[in-house]
Amino acid sequence: MESMISIPVIMTSRLRLRGHRREDLADCAAMWADPGVTRFITGKPSTEQQTWSRLLAYLGHWETMGFGYFVIEERASGRFAGEVGLADFKRDLAPSMRGTPELGFALAPRVHGSGYATEAARAVLEWADAYLDCERTGCIVNPQNVASLRVAEKCGYVPLEHGVYNEQPITLLTRARHRP
């Protein structure tokens, strides 16, 4: 069944970013069940039910906010490589990020270290700069997650504040919109 929501498809040299489909559940659930993937995000693997709720929330973002998350596919093989996108999760943070699109990404373990996170995040931000009416985006990263901090910095994010969210230390980063 095709989505009724118009979600853009973004192509990079190695990746295809597209909206989630029901058929993505198995790949997404496997990724979110991996303790290495969730270590710095939630601190514990997700169940299939939690992953299903996450996918539905991603689609709901597109419907209500005009932005959301994408599946990352390798162009050469069509294989699932992870997820990337923007969301407004209404997190209880200080300073507040409510109303500010928040960049997030998670990659399947088999592609860690490939540069896909940076490539995908840059593509999403380029799309956001062109199509979203927002002056900045935010990103939260566990400060122990050096790889994700590097991705955020390569995408133009700068640290704003340190804190705790869901019993995990976080660095809140911000990035000003780049006008095309």
Side-chain angles (χ1 to χ4, degrees):
M1 178 178 188
E2 287 297 313
S3 172
M4 303 201 32
I5 305 165
S6 179
I7 301 172
V9 173
I10 301 172
M11 305 296 262
T12 71
S13 62
R14 301 182 297 164
L15 306 172
R16 177 178 184 243
L17 311 181
R18 61 157 177 85
H20 284 80
R21 298 187 291 244
R22 180 177 33 209
E23 302 81 34
D24 296 319
L25 180 60
D27 287 329
C28 293
M31 180 183 72
W32 286 107
D34 187 291
V37 171
T38 60
R39 176 179 171 204
F40 296 119
I41 300 172
T42 61
K44 60 185 177 202
S46 295
T47 65
E48 183 180 57
Q49 180 182 355
Q50 290 167 323
T51 301
W52 180 243
S53 293
R54 183 179 281 118
L55 264 65
L56 296 176
Y58 294 159
L59 292 170
H61 263 84
W62 283 106
E63 182 68 34
T64 60
M65 305 297 292
F67 56 85
Y69 268 66
F70 297 88
V71 165
I72 304 169
E73 289 180 337
E74 293 174 303
R75 283 181 69 172
S77 67
R79 289 182 69 190
F80 175 87
E83 299 173 337
V84 64
L86 297 163
D88 182 355
F89 291 120
K90 307 291 185 209
R91 298 184 198 270
D92 186 18
L93 293 171
S96 175
M97 286 183 27
R98 288 179 185 230
T100 301
E102 176 187 328
L103 176 72
F105 47 89
L107 269 54
R110 70 175 184 79
V111 299
H112 285 184
S114 66
Y116 286 176
T118 301
E119 186 175 332
R122 282 179 173 159
V124 167
L125 292 168
E126 186 176 304
W127 174 85
D129 288 343
Y131 294 102
L132 295 185
D133 185 23
C134 60
E135 291 306 310
R136 70 182 181 118
T137 57
C139 184
I140 63 171
V141 179
N142 183 312
Q144 297 171 359
N145 190 343
V146 176
S148 289
L149 282 173
R150 258 193 318 250
V151 170
E153 289 168 2
K154 286 179 188 176
C155 291
Y157 284 90
V158 294
L160 180 65
E161 185 122 357
H162 298 281
V164 175
Y165 181 73
N166 281 345
E167 302 175 15
Q168 295 266 347
I170 61 160
T171 299
L172 175 62
L173 302 106
T174 187
R175 175 188 174 273
R177 178 181 186 182
H178 297 173
R179 302 235 181 244

